[in-house]
Amino acid sequence: MFLAVSIVCDDYFLPSLEIISDSLGLSQDVAGATFMAAGSSAPELVTAFLGVFVTKGDIGVSTILGSAIYNLLVICAACCLLSSVVSRISCWPLFRDSLAYTISAAAVLGMIVDNKVYWYECASLLLIYGAYILVLCFDIKISQYVMKKFSPCCSCFEVNEDEAEQQPLIGWKETGALIRRQSRADSGIFQDESDYSQLSMSLHGLDTISEDPPSVFTVPEADLKRILWVLSLPILLLLYLTTPDCRRQFWKNWFMLTFLMAAVWIGAFTYILVWMVTIVGETLKIPETVMGLTLLAAGTSIPDTVASVLVARKGRGDMAMSNIVGSNVFDLLCLGLPWFIKTAFVDTSGPVEVNSSGLTYTAISLVCSIAFIFLAVHLNGWKLNRKLGVVCLVMYLGFAVLSILYELGIVGNNPITVCGN
């Protein structure tokens, strides 16, 4: 299932994302915070709906809040440690997404503090996400204003402003691709030079747009790749029959269908993956609290991990970081959608009941994690390198150990409750 998620991300999800971004002229950080975050967060959205309508429990809240810190620290560490390229990231996108994440976390935690969620509270979550999308639509204008305002007192804004202007030019010189010019005056979401065709070519090795990738039935030459190809052949065949490959000229105009089908398959594969992880944990007698903070958090975050590492390997640090933080914003605010549907249309008699035990600890952890990421990146000179990866990994291991000790009642005043007692 891990192999299946990586295949669908690399061969279908990211190529469709690149064509969407190229069509809309999105910058890499805006694309990472919107389409990429929404697509790779399909498992969390499915989990939220299951928790509200099927299990009628807190599974959606606990999964999303529990994996939020894993998303920030471990995926950032994976992007740094598994990439041979040192990516430079801009100050504004990380600040923008961190602020949106803090507001989203405060809104969700403020809603569930009384263990009840009303329809107008759910609607406010959706409005916050709408405001976030609106800010992204005028991101260029807002970022230019912020950089102009704060560059005299903060050097990171001034440095990254220059890099933001030069990076597309360098990329297009190297590839010699056609530049599609669009005016920033029309809409803040558009860049002067859209560099997503470069990303598409660099990710998939396409020298020209007209070239089709090799057939999925082509047997690789290397022995290890041949073994992996045989193991993944059922998945390749399933995806070949159900999802159009928008990298090919014949299916290029079907990129939206590719994106939606890739998101569906990401959700399906992750569901099976988490199911298998749960069975492994039960078989090995791993406590549920430990499993929820480690194996299950990792399982639901695999699409985000794979997608972020793939783009980080190509030097797209802004896109990787925007996907990491933006997917958390999407996860928190997408809780409002199933809650709103239930309270406004399905069961209008009363609010949704949730359990907010451990709320204070969760709130402190969420705020501390995003503050730590921002500070660590700043002190590291706005680079994604191995040093930052090691720091993030050690920080998460420390957090996980403290959380497990707290959940097991070893640290703090948190008595263990056993089902049925």
Side-chain angles (χ1 to χ4, degrees):
M1 287 300 102
F2 181 83
L3 187 61
V5 171
S6 65
I7 290 170
V8 73
C9 281
D10 197 21
D11 293 348
Y12 295 93
F13 179 64
L14 288 179
S16 63
L17 172 74
E18 290 147 14
I19 297 177
I20 291 170
S21 304
D22 190 36
S23 301
L24 298 177
L26 302 182
S27 63
Q28 55 172 306
D29 57 286
V30 172
T34 51
F35 287 101
M36 191 175 184
S40 59
S41 297
E44 280 86 353
L45 184 59
V46 172
T47 304
F49 272 93
L50 287 175
V52 172
F53 292 103
V54 181
T55 64
K56 295 181 173 58
D58 303 323
I59 183 173
V61 184
S62 60
T63 300
I64 288 171
L65 294 181
S67 63
I69 298 168
Y70 178 94
N71 286 1
L72 286 171
L73 296 176
V74 177
I75 299 180
C76 182
C79 289
C80 297
L81 296 175
L82 300 179
S83 174
S84 58
V85 179
V86 176
S87 304
R88 293 198 63 85
I89 56 178
S90 306
C91 180
W92 164 250
L94 184 59
F95 173 76
R96 175 200 67 205
D97 295 334
S98 300
L99 182 62
Y101 176 65
T102 305
I103 294 171
S104 306
V108 171
L109 296 168
M111 280 171 49
I112 64 177
V113 69
D114 60 350
N115 296 336
K116 295 178 181 178
V117 181
Y118 296 89
W119 70 267
Y120 50 86
E121 293 175 328
C122 308
S124 67
L125 276 186
L126 300 178
L127 286 175
I128 291 173
Y129 192 69
Y132 176 58
I133 296 298
L134 192 63
V135 169
L136 292 177
C137 287
F138 297 96
D139 178 69
I140 298 295
K141 292 180 180 178
I142 296 172
S143 64
Q144 285 177 339
Y145 174 79
V146 171
M147 288 175 180
K148 185 177 180 181
K149 200 78 174 173
F150 292 98
S151 57
C153 58
C154 185
S155 59
C156 62
F157 280 110
E158 186 177 357
V159 171
N160 285 287
E161 183 182 19
D162 296 335
E163 288 176 2
E165 294 297 327
Q166 293 174 2
Q167 187 177 2
L169 292 173
I170 295 170
W172 283 111
K173 278 181 183 177
E174 291 173 351
T175 58
L178 178 65
I179 297 175
R180 179 165 60 90
R181 299 184 178 273
Q182 292 169 319
S183 174
R184 284 184 183 170
D186 297 335
S187 172
I189 199 169
F190 292 116
Q191 286 188 317
D192 285 338
E193 293 154 349
S194 176
D195 60 343
Y196 264 83
S197 291
Q198 178 207 350
L199 176 58
S200 179
M201 287 183 288
S202 62
L203 269 177
H204 303 283
L206 306 179
D207 294 325
T208 59
I209 296 176
S210 60
E211 284 188 15
D212 284 346
S215 171
V216 295
F217 304 109
T218 303
V219 182
E221 295 293 332
D223 292 337
L224 182 59
K225 289 184 177 180
R226 193 175 300 175
I227 293 171
L228 287 175
W229 177 80
V230 171
L231 291 174
S232 59
L233 191 57
I235 301 298
L236 292 171
L237 184 61
L238 181 64
L239 294 172
Y240 178 80
L241 295 175
T242 58
T243 309
D245 189 351
C246 62
R247 296 174 299 171
R248 302 182 181 278
Q249 284 298 309
F250 184 80
W251 295 108
K252 190 174 181 182
N253 293 329
W254 295 75
F255 57 88
M256 279 308 300
L257 181 60
T258 304
F259 179 82
L260 294 174
M261 286 302 299
V264 169
W265 280 119
I266 286 172
F269 292 149
T270 308
Y271 178 81
I272 300 172
L273 181 67
V274 172
W275 182 15
M276 296 299 106
V277 167
T278 306
I279 292 174
V280 170
E282 292 289 338
T283 305
L284 299 177
K285 306 296 182 185
I286 300 175
E288 289 184 3
T289 52
V290 177
M291 199 162 57
L293 286 164
T294 53
L295 297 178
L296 291 179
T300 54
S301 302
I302 277 177
D304 290 313
T305 307
V306 173
S308 296
V309 169
L310 285 174
V311 295
R313 283 181 171 179
K314 302 303 175 184
R316 302 287 164 178
D318 283 336
M319 192 173 190
M321 290 302 296
S322 292
N323 178 51
I324 293 169
V325 185
S327 63
N328 274 355
V329 175
F330 181 85
D331 292 345
L332 290 171
L333 297 180
C334 78
L335 281 170
L337 185 59
W339 283 342
F340 181 74
I341 293 173
K342 183 168 184 179
T343 53
F345 302 107
V346 178
D347 184 10
T348 58
S349 58
V352 176
E353 298 284 343
V354 295
N355 181 16
S356 63
S357 61
L359 186 66
T360 305
Y361 182 75
T362 304
I364 294 172
S365 301
L366 290 173
V367 173
C368 288
S369 62
I370 193 66
F372 171 80
I373 282 287
F374 192 85
L375 185 63
V377 171
H378 176 69
L379 294 177
N380 198 47
W382 301 96
K383 292 181 290 185
L384 294 181
N385 54 20
R386 295 187 184 277
K387 182 171 68 174
L388 179 64
V390 171
V391 170
C392 289
L393 192 58
V394 170
M395 180 71 179
Y396 178 74
L397 291 175
F399 161 78
V401 169
L402 286 176
S403 300
I404 291 168
L405 293 176
Y406 178 80
E407 290 287 341
L408 296 177
I410 299 172
V411 174
N413 186 19
N414 184 38
I416 301 173
T417 57
V418 182
C419 294
N421 294 336

